[in-house]
Amino acid sequence: MTQKSKPQDQRLSAAAPLGFDAQAIPIHEVCHDQAKVAQHVLDPLALKSRFQSPPVWHPEITDENRQVIAADIIAKRQAAGKITQAAVLIPLLLRSEGLSVLLTQRTDHLHDHAGQISFPGGRMDPGDADPHDTALRESEEEIGLDRAAVEIIGHLPQYLTVSGYSVTPVVGFVKPQAEYVLDAFEVADVFEVPLHFLMDPANHQVRIWESDQGSRRFYSMLYENRFIWGATAGMLRNLYHLLKV
């Protein structure tokens, strides 16, 4: 694929404007030619083993997530107080028909990522012991997820967002609840997507947004009427890369 060459800082700061419609950006390509995740890897025991003894793999470098090649930039931003540490929970619901991922739809009035689909989570509080604690606390606050029903199996590399967050994606098995108590200020809805759908590269779309601030290449995944993109899709891509090898 080709795209205009832009300085790293310019690409990193190319945040979407207010009212940006990511779904209206044309699809550049679909990743149907990429390796598929073997079905047996999506079994809970196999998945847990993958996190306990991970193979050699590399997180994907997107225009938003540049923590590997731009570590010096991140260090400077952290020193200047421009990076906020955060964590999200990637909740894998234990269903008899297979694992599914629990996702939230953010409310439209939030300052960051309004209206977008995301994992439950948020910024680290001073009282949080570690990113795991943050992910569990935020999940409990946002959707009423019982932390006693969560078995953390590992985490993915930190993900840097254009809104200034360095996010640790924490992965855990979750026993489904009969209902979820949503924080009406932050969460508009909660829903599930089968893990095998999200781990199938044939469902991974690449879109490229061109603006005066530069180009931004991002992933999207369309499930029924749910449009998953941006940081959430980027983290799911890293989970895919871990599991495909």
Side-chain angles (χ1 to χ4, degrees):
M1 90 189 51
T2 60
Q3 68 183 84
K4 293 181 180 179
S5 176
K6 300 290 180 182
Q8 287 180 11
D9 274 346
Q10 192 171 11
R11 285 202 303 262
L12 193 63
S13 63
L18 185 65
F20 175 71
D21 184 2
Q23 196 167 358
I25 303 300
I27 298 172
H28 179 69
E29 68 173 329
V30 178
C31 305
H32 54 76
D33 291 334
Q34 296 183 2
K36 294 184 178 181
V37 175
Q39 186 61 38
H40 75 272
V41 176
L42 301 181
D43 175 82
L45 289 178
L47 193 61
K48 186 175 182 179
S49 177
R50 180 60 58 97
F51 275 95
Q52 290 175 340
S53 302
V56 177
W57 72 287
H58 302 284
E60 186 166 3
I61 305 303
T62 66
D63 286 350
E64 183 175 43
N65 182 19
R66 297 191 168 273
Q67 80 278 7
V68 175
I69 62 176
D72 57 330
I73 297 175
I74 295 175
K76 291 176 182 177
R77 293 188 176 190
Q78 286 176 328
K82 296 180 180 180
I83 294 290
T84 300
Q85 297 298 320
V88 298
L89 179 67
I90 300 182
L92 303 180
L93 296 183
L94 296 163
R95 297 287 189 187
S96 58
E97 63 273 23
L99 294 169
S100 65
V101 181
L102 188 66
L103 291 161
T104 73
Q105 182 94 41
R106 293 167 64 82
T107 51
D108 291 330
H109 60 261
L110 294 177
H111 180 266
D112 293 323
H113 309 287
Q116 292 186 23
I117 289 171
S118 67
F119 300 111
R123 69 180 63 200
M124 292 188 69
D125 281 354
D128 292 340
D130 52 32
H132 294 182
D133 197 25
T134 300
L136 292 174
R137 176 184 55 75
E138 285 283 344
S139 297
E140 192 170 40
E141 293 175 359
E142 290 184 359
I143 63 174
L145 188 65
D146 181 7
R147 65 170 60 204
V150 182
E151 178 190 0
I152 293 176
I153 62 173
H155 59 84
L156 296 172
Q158 288 188 328
Y159 192 98
L160 181 68
T161 72
V162 293
S163 52
Y165 290 89
S166 182
V167 184
T168 299
V170 178
V171 183
F173 291 142
V174 178
K175 296 178 182 178
Q177 296 181 189
E179 61 179 350
Y180 298 93
V181 181
L182 309 185
D183 180 338
F185 181 79
E186 294 191 34
V187 182
D189 195 12
V190 63
F191 64 97
E192 298 177 32
V193 181
L195 180 61
H196 68 80
F197 177 91
L198 294 172
M199 293 297 100
D200 185 347
N203 299 319
H204 301 175
Q205 305 166 343
V206 177
R207 300 174 189 244
I208 299 178
W209 168 50
E210 299 284 355
S211 73
D212 294 339
Q213 290 76 40
S215 65
R216 180 177 168 190
R217 175 180 178 273
F218 63 90
Y219 284 98
S220 63
M221 302 164 187
L222 182 62
Y223 179 74
E224 296 179 346
N225 64 333
R226 307 286 188 172
F227 185 71
I228 305 165
W229 71 286
T232 303
M235 294 177 206
L236 287 169
R237 279 287 295 181
N238 279 341
L239 180 59
Y240 159 75
H241 285 299
L242 169 64
L243 300 183
K244 74 176 183 182
V245 293

